[in-house]
Structures are given as structure tokens and as C-alpha cells.
Amino acid sequence: MSEYDYDVLVLGAGPGGYTAAFRAADLGQRVALVERFPELGGVCLNVGCIPSKALLHTAAVIEEAASMEKHGVSFGEPFIDIDKLRGFKDSVVKKLTGGLAGMAKQRKVDVIQGLGTFSGAHEVTVETADGRKTLTFRNAIIAVGSRSLELDGMPWGDPRLMDSTGALELEEIPLRLLVVGGGIIGLEMACVYQALGSKVTVVELTPGLMPGTDPDLVKPLQRRISKRYEAIHLETAVKRIDVADDGLLAHFEGKHTGKEMFDRVLVAVGRTPNGGKINAESAGVEVTDRGFILVDSQMRTNVPHIFAIGDVVGQPMLAHKASHEGKVAAEVCAGEKSAFDARVIPSVAYTDPEIAWVGVTEAEARESGLKVGIGKFPLAASGRAIGIDRTEGFTKLIFDASSKRIIGAGITGPNAGDLISECALAIEMGAEAGDIGLTIHPHPTLSESVAMAAEVFEGTVTDLYIPKKP
Ligand code: NAD
């Protein structure tokens, strides 16, 4: 018998944590998965990626049905039964979290529900419904994620002031919604509520929406939502919100000033890691002032038998990064020589149109001093995009012009989030423009735009006329 209760204890059951626990169990480890909430899946499955995508699908169908009018097919105004819609969203979440609980059982992973904190270098204490339990471990994997940043001076506690979790609860469809923060969460939820009938205003602190993303990728989205939303205020902040019986009064400062009443306000100004909430010091694990835990490429913290993965180890705070890191940590715990060596991690905003990017951005490539080559194929020249009447986006591939290797990509348009995977694979495989352009893509598809963007860079494209430079 081992001197410890478990070979591997995983703290937190989000996409990083449950992946780590399942992989460790598959490698023959005795595993405990400690989660404070009754359901597995963390923010992503319960109050993040999954419910938001269920609602974004509803938004997309409403928009698409309305757009059919100009093709001669009218469906009339949608009737929205919000309870039924919420029920569907909840059923999606339940199906997935239930599936996880089943898979944990099949793998003989011990799921322990309760808030877990370290109480020693090989010990976690869990506040369970049946009292305090102390579990000992040989290795631990910290997968405690992040939480929404709360802006100071806001009337938190008033149900009309929401973070992303509150917005996904879909308690009502407000007449006027203010979204504070023009990042991914803010713009995805704005998209949902606008389609459901809210008049939406977005306030963003910086000069552009989705800062850090190439501005040309964001432009088609901005153009579309500028027509649909009540207002988009850039370089503006919300100084304060006053509570009134008939709404929340927001005071703006910056480029846009004044005050306005809204029925609800969503604050989505970023997320902050939970590293400071687990008493990591008692295990000797160092946590930065901001709550991050630093790790090496094997996901080891400064304490060699304690690992950390996911949002708590740094940006980008994305589920697919966390799950890959979780596998690495589990494999290292089981004695394998794994390391996190992914070249790139794709990002997707599931807005309408979708925006996806991977590898270096064009701005980063140009700043790096590389000889940059760009191949850009507009969806206005794609037969498939014309057929579905969504021609406002494009596919852009970024090359190191000296080696002709792809180093980045960005796509704006329908299904961009699915299309970007090919670009990620191309970067991982060290593909050159010719490899992409000479790969036969089915016609007519949106995926052709990836090959054609490579052809634009190569100068071999025939679906566009690009005059030769003299
Ligand atoms: P974010 O960092 O993407 O965006 C926050 C935005 O708020 C930024 O544009 C920022 O400039 C702005 N901002 C900051 N302070 C402000 C203020 N006082 N007033 C107005 N604007 C302000 O953060 P998010 O949208 O909250 O998302 C959080 C995290 O979750 C991100 O790391 C993101 O990667 C992740 N996430 C990913 C997805 C996805 O992959 N589709 C979806 C949701 C969230």
C-alpha cells in the first residue's frame, strides 16, 4: 500500500482538471478529483463556453431566419419562450456534466465534492457536506481556474448587474442592455441578447473592440453590429452605476460622457486567476501577486510533485489550452516524459460573424522584424459564401516570406472557429504555402478560402484577379 491516499489529486474539475484526472486514471494512477460545485465541468461546461454556444446557436438561427426575407422567404417575428430556451440550455449542460460524472465512475476516479485547500505539502483538506476531510497525495495537479473580474464601485448584489454567469442565467430579456467590456465574452453575450430582442450598448476602454486581435479581422463584425446595436462607445469607461427602481444609471467617462439608464448591465472586463484562494503557501507553492502559479513545460510548479494547469498558470485562458496541459501533467505524474510543446493555441470569438486566429497576428509579425508575407482571400470571391449571402469576411494567412512557412492565420466569417483548425495543423506541421495551396480542398466550401489565401501569397490564384506588379 502507498503511504498516500492517492497517487494523483486533482483540485478543480474544469476542462483542465477532469482531463488530467481521466488521463491519470487511464495511466493506472489512483485519482481523486476535488470540486467545490456539485457538477463536474467547471466554468466552461456549466457557466461558460457550452451554455453560451447553445444560446449563440439560437441567436444565429433567429438572425438567419430574418435574413431570408430578402431571399423571398419570411418567417415573421420570432416568439421567444424564455423559460423553454433556458431549459434547453440547461439540458445541454446537464447532458455534458452527467456524461463526465459517468466517465469518472467508469474510470474509478473518486470525485469529492467540497472546497479544497492545501494543508501541507502532500495534503488537501476538503470542506464536504459530511464535514472536513483530509486527503493525502503523492502528486497534485492544481486546476482551479479563474473568476470574472469585478469592477470596483459597482452595485454588485443587485441582480440587474451581471457577470457572464448571471448573463447566461437568462432571467429575462432586458429592453436595454449595457455591456461593459468589448472583449470576447462581452461581444458574444451582446450577440445573444441583441438577437433575442434587447437594445444593446457596448462600452470598451481601448480604441478598438477585441484588443490584441488584428483590427482587419474585427472590422466586419464591427460594421455589422454598428448597424444593429444602439451604440458602441470606444475609449470609454463606466465610472459608476447608480441603482434606481426603474433601472441602473451608468455614468460614462472618456470619449463618450454623460449618463444613461439601462434595464441590465453585463460586466465582462476580463478574468482573474484563483491561485490565491487555495492556501498554496502551506504546500510551499509560490503564487504571484495577481494569483497566477508559474510552471515549467512539464506543468510543474516550484514544488516538483505539485503541478498546475489551465487559467491559473496564465494566458490565454482557454479550455483547449487547459485540457492539453492537463494531459501533460497527468502523464508526467505517471512517469512519462511529456511536455507542453504546442507551437500555437487557436482563439475563437463565436460572434456573428465568427472571428478566429492562431499563431502570430499580422501586427506581431510586422513588429518582430520578420519579412512578412500575407495571403488574403475575401469571402466575396467564394462561391459558397455568396450562396449563403455572408461575404463580409476573409481568410488571411501570414507567412515568413523567406521560408514561405505559415506562422499565423486569421479568419472572419461563418464557421471561422472550425476552419481555423486546419491553419493550426499547418503551423504545427511547419507547412509552406505550397503545401496548403496544393492540398485539394472540396468545392464549394468555405475551407477553400484557406487554400486560396495560400495561392494569393504564391501568386497562383485564379479565383481572383490580382494585377501583376510592374
Ligand atoms: P477580455 O480580456 O477578452 O475582454 C475584456 C475587455 O474589457 C477588453 O477589451 C478590455 O479592454 C475591456 N475593459 C477592461 N476594463 C474595462 C472598463 N473598465 N470599461 C470598459 N471596458 C473595459 O475578457 P473577457 O471577454 O471578460 O473574457 C475573459 C477570458 O475568457 C478571456 O481570457 C477569454 O480568452 C476567455 N473567453 C474565451 C472565450 C472563447 O474562447 N470563445 C469566450 C469567453 C471567454
Side-chain angles (χ1 to χ4, degrees), residues 181 183-185 188 203-206 211 268-271 317-318 348 350:
I184 293 186
I185 294 183
E188 287 185 355
V203 175
E204 163 59 40
L205 198 57
T206 71
V269 295
R271 299 184 63 83
M317 292 188 180
L318 297 171
V348 181
Y350 298 86

Side-chain angles (χ1 to χ4, degrees), residues 43 48-49 52-53 56 146-149 151 154 164 179-188 202-212 233 235-239 267-272 311 315-320 346-351 355 357:
V43 171
C49 325
S52 65
K53 262 80 266 177
L56 278 160
S146 62
R147 61 189 186 277
S148 298
L149 262 175
L151 279 182
M154 301 277 167
S164 54
V179 174
V180 185
I184 293 186
I185 294 183
L187 294 175
E188 287 185 355
V202 177
V203 175
E204 163 59 40
L205 198 57
T206 71
L209 296 175
M210 284 173 49
H233 301 305
E235 293 176 79
T236 302
V238 175
K239 190 167 57 178
V267 177
V269 295
R271 299 184 63 83
T272 187
D311 290 6
Q315 301 286 353
M317 292 188 180
L318 297 171
H320 42 279
S347 292
V348 181
Y350 298 86
T351 44
I355 304 176
W357 64 101

Side-chain angles (χ1 to χ4, degrees), residues 374-436:
I374 300 290
K376 202 167 177 176
F377 188 80
L379 291 186
S382 152
R384 189 60 186 275
I386 294 169
I388 60 172
D389 199 11
R390 289 305 298 264
T391 55
E392 71 266 39
F394 60 88
T395 294
K396 172 172 80 169
L397 303 186
I398 303 159
F399 296 95
D400 172 347
S402 325
S403 64
K404 292 194 169 189
R405 279 196 172 183
I406 179 172
I407 53 173
I411 304 176
T412 298
N415 302 340
D418 291 304
L419 298 172
I420 203 70
S421 297
E422 179 186 0
C423 304
L425 181 64
I427 297 171
E428 289 290 350
M429 302 297 287
E432 294 175 15
D435 298 322
I436 302 166

Side-chain angles (χ1 to χ4, degrees), residues 360-378:
V360 293
T361 63
E362 184 176 344
E364 285 165 352
R366 295 201 187 282
E367 270 164 32
S368 73
L370 266 182
K371 198 170 159 226
V372 179
I374 300 290
K376 202 167 177 176
F377 188 80

Side-chain angles (χ1 to χ4, degrees), residues 270-291:
R271 299 184 63 83
T272 187
N274 286 333
K277 299 205 163 256
I278 51 171
N279 199 26
E281 337 46 276
S282 76
V285 174
E286 284 166 16
V287 181
T288 70
D289 293 344
R290 292 182 56 203

